[in-house]
Amino acid sequence: IQKIESLKKEYEEFAKKSNELRNELTSKHPEQEQIESLLYQGFAIANVDFDKSLEYLKKATQIDPTNLEVQQAYDRIYDSKQTTITQISNLNEKIKNNPEQNKDKADDLRNKGFALIKMGNYDDALTTCKESLKINQDYRSFSCIQNSLVFKEDWNEYLKQTELYPGLNRQANDPYGDTRGTDFGIIRVYYNLGDYDIALKMINTAL
């Protein structure tokens, strides 16, 4: 009996040390968790707001200046921002030098609009995309308008635009015809406007 009790005690001690070791290996320091959270947030908005993304990554760098992953992420997004600035500058020159209201100009305006979205300049992006759509009613220009309005969180204007251009809205939300015509953009709008019953009805119809 004493031997059994001894073995039991040894097992309990072993189990305790094993749990402590496992917790030590799997647990993260609060600073590391904060860094990973900032890194995730930075990546999540890198394509829609470079400055905000870089702000998150800068905070992560301040916590741990030696973190190579964060520094590489910061450098990569910073380079993307500089590339986009150059792109906008080149597009401005092309637009300025094109006196015609043609498809090329509409394409350049649309591309500029998408680039402005990446810079977080949603108001300018919206104006530019509307100008593009005025020249050539292409669903990609309409999509640029919708994206600008989403990031501005201007749901009423989003709804207004879909009513003005129902055909372009269908194309923008289902360009490849693989969503069975489900307008997820409108569902999102009704949800954010608080019209949950309408949003749920549209979701149930799509299922």
Side-chain angles (χ1 to χ4, degrees), residues 30 35 48 93 96 104 108 114 123 127 129-130 170 186 206:
I35 288 172
V48 295
E93 194 67 21
K96 178 181 177 181
D104 287 342
D108 289 336
F114 277 119
D123 288 327
T127 299
C129 296
K130 283 185 175 181
R170 283 193 296 272
I186 287 293

Side-chain angles (χ1 to χ4, degrees), residues 51-87:
D51 287 339
K52 192 67 176 177
S53 175
L54 291 170
E55 183 180 325
Y56 283 126
L57 295 175
K58 186 175 182 179
K59 288 180 181 178
T61 303
Q62 291 170 345
I63 295 172
D64 182 5
T66 66
N67 191 306
L68 184 60
E69 182 182 7
V70 173
Q71 188 58 55
Q72 289 176 336
Y74 185 95
D75 291 342
R76 186 159 61 249
I77 293 173
Y78 180 83
D79 289 344
S80 295
K81 177 185 175 180
Q82 299 309 308
T83 299
T84 302
I85 290 174
T86 300
Q87 179 190 10

Side-chain angles (χ1 to χ4, degrees), residues 8-201:
K8 182 181 178 182
K9 188 175 181 181
E10 287 180 15
Y11 173 78
E12 289 175 348
E13 188 66 26
F14 173 78
K16 180 182 178 181
K17 289 183 178 180
S18 295
N19 285 332
E20 289 175 353
L21 180 60
R22 183 172 64 250
N23 290 334
E24 183 180 345
L25 291 172
T26 57
S27 64
K28 298 175 181 177
H29 297 295
E31 293 83 0
Q32 183 60 29
E33 291 183 349
Q34 190 176 359
I35 288 172
E36 290 189 5
S37 176
L38 290 167
L39 188 62
Y40 173 79
Q41 291 178 81
F43 275 127
I45 61 170
N47 286 325
V48 295
D49 193 333
F50 285 129
D51 287 339
K52 192 67 176 177
S53 175
L54 291 170
E55 183 180 325
Y56 283 126
L57 295 175
K58 186 175 182 179
K59 288 180 181 178
T61 303
Q62 291 170 345
I63 295 172
D64 182 5
T66 66
N67 191 306
L68 184 60
E69 182 182 7
V70 173
Q71 188 58 55
Q72 289 176 336
Y74 185 95
D75 291 342
R76 186 159 61 249
I77 293 173
Y78 180 83
D79 289 344
S80 295
K81 177 185 175 180
Q82 299 309 308
T83 299
T84 302
I85 290 174
T86 300
Q87 179 190 10
I88 292 173
S89 177
N90 292 337
L91 286 167
N92 282 336
E93 194 67 21
K94 288 181 67 178
I95 293 166
K96 178 181 177 181
N97 293 329
N98 183 358
E100 304 297 328
Q101 299 293 95
N102 55 19
K103 182 178 179 301
D104 287 342
K105 190 167 191 175
D107 290 347
D108 289 336
L109 285 164
R110 181 184 68 245
N111 290 333
K112 178 185 174 182
F114 277 119
L116 287 168
I117 288 175
K118 290 184 178 182
M119 297 296 297
N121 297 336
Y122 308 131
D123 288 327
D124 290 343
L126 179 61
T127 299
T128 304
C129 296
K130 283 185 175 181
E131 189 176 349
S132 172
L133 189 68
K134 187 177 180 180
I135 298 172
N136 182 34
Q137 292 198 4
D138 187 300
Y139 78 89
R140 292 169 296 179
S141 297
F142 186 75
S143 179
C144 181
I145 291 173
Q146 289 183 315
N147 287 345
S148 303
L149 291 171
V150 165
F151 296 122
K152 280 169 57 66
E153 297 185 357
D154 191 342
W155 310 114
N156 286 306
E157 181 62 21
Y158 186 108
L159 194 59
K160 178 182 175 182
Q161 290 297 318
T162 62
E163 292 170 351
L164 286 173
Y165 303 98
L168 292 177
N169 179 60
R170 283 193 296 272
Q171 281 185 283
N173 284 279
D174 190 16
Y176 305 109
D178 55 2
T179 63
R180 297 183 299 174
T182 304
D183 192 339
F184 294 104
I186 287 293
I187 292 173
R188 181 179 185 179
V189 167
Y190 282 125
Y191 177 83
N192 281 284
L193 286 173
D195 295 324
Y196 305 123
D197 290 339
I198 297 176
L200 286 172
K201 184 178 180 181

